[in-house]
Amino acid sequence: MTSETRVASVEELETGFQRELGTDRWAAAETAYALAVRHRDGGNWDQSREWVQQCLRLLEGFPSETVEQVATKRLSVGGVQLPTYLHDGVVKNRFGDIV
């Protein structure tokens, strides 16, 4: 995808998401989270909500009983810092009312 430290465009993130969706669903969930953050920070609430929902749908397919199962694999995606752990509770907490 993109460098973990370089700020990627939304288009680059979306392209990476599509590629990851077919090869690495966990990476796709991380990228969906990053896209939700980018859209939220840009004031695009509808797009942010769509990416939050996409992230949550992807996370449903993963176990979440242990810390190891929900630990993110990357520190950031396209310049967006990821939380240490990614599960529905974290996503809902970070996005609050737009979920």
Side-chain angles (χ1 to χ4, degrees):
M1 136 137 233
T2 60
S3 166
E4 287 187 7
T5 57
R6 186 176 77 78
V7 176
S9 69
V10 168
E11 292 79 18
E12 288 174 308
L13 287 171
E14 288 176 355
T15 298
F17 171 80
Q18 291 301 325
R19 184 176 53 251
E20 292 164 350
L21 197 55
T23 61
D24 184 345
R25 291 177 61 84
W26 182 262
E30 291 178 345
T31 301
Y33 176 89
L35 279 158
V37 170
R38 289 289 297 279
H39 282 292
R40 180 196 63 198
D41 291 353
N44 190 342
W45 304 110
D46 290 337
Q47 285 294 311
S48 182
R49 183 177 299 107
E50 287 182 29
W51 284 108
V52 166
Q53 292 169 350
Q54 180 67 39
C55 180
L56 290 171
R57 279 191 298 272
L58 287 166
L59 291 174
E60 285 176 3
F62 292 98
S64 59
E65 289 80 35
T66 68
V67 171
E68 292 80 16
Q69 291 172 327
V70 297
T72 51
K73 310 289 187 264
R74 301 176 279 185
L75 297 175
S76 66
V77 174
V80 174
Q81 188 75 27
L82 294 176
T84 304
Y85 305 110
L86 189 58
H87 56 80
D88 63 344
V90 169
V91 174
K92 290 174 182 176
N93 184 47
R94 299 259 174 121
F95 289 93
D97 292 339
I98 71 166
V99 175

